[in-house]
Amino acid sequence: MVSTQSTGTAVQRRKERTPSPPPAPLPDFIALFQEEPWFRAYLPDPDPRTFPETNLSQFVQMVLDALTKAAFHVKAEICQALVLIQTQFGIPIPTDVKLQVLKTLNEYPLPLSAH
């Protein structure tokens, strides 16, 4: 007769040896930008195990938040990313997003051009 204690230990050992399934890959709309310097500087680490679960609308909001924090020369790259999201994924850019982009770009002093 097998004791309950030894059976429980055997089950526990099997559970310990069973590897966790690999994390789901990042959605395409995130993977498209994960190597960009602005992404690495202003958004969460693009590790699929730790990146917050995000839909496209939430990701656009994260990008807009990055836009408000970024240095002026980086803002153009982030704006290009927003346009690419719109063209690649066929989503309309809502008026409030356009207004936020314009507001953010206009409140920042333009860099002086070298003459």
Side-chain angles (χ1 to χ4, degrees):
M1 183 166 157
V2 177
S3 75
T4 307
Q5 184 177 10
S6 64
T7 305
T9 305
V11 170
Q12 185 179 4
R13 283 191 201 128
R14 271 185 266 151
K15 285 182 182 176
E16 289 173 3
R17 284 190 240 142
T18 305
S20 299
L26 292 170
D28 290 343
F29 56 85
I30 296 172
L32 188 61
F33 304 108
Q34 70 181 8
E35 298 302 322
E36 295 294 327
W38 62 264
F39 186 107
R40 296 236 175 233
Y42 299 104
L43 296 176
D45 180 21
D47 183 332
R49 293 175 300 229
T50 59
F51 198 87
E53 191 172 319
T54 305
N55 64 35
L56 184 55
S57 178
Q58 292 166 326
F59 182 67
V60 167
Q61 188 57 54
M62 292 169 81
V63 173
L64 288 170
D65 290 344
L67 183 66
T68 64
K69 299 172 189 167
F72 191 84
H73 68 282
V74 178
K75 290 181 187 292
E77 295 173 27
I78 296 174
C79 286
Q80 288 174 337
L82 288 166
V83 170
L84 188 58
I85 289 170
Q86 190 268 327
T87 57
Q88 288 282 321
F89 299 98
I91 61 163
I93 298 178
T95 301
D96 61 326
V97 171
K98 293 176 189 175
L99 290 173
Q100 184 173 349
V101 169
L102 289 172
K103 178 180 179 271
T104 301
L105 293 176
N106 285 324
E107 70 187 17
Y108 215 87
L110 294 174
L112 298 174
S113 61
H115 291 285

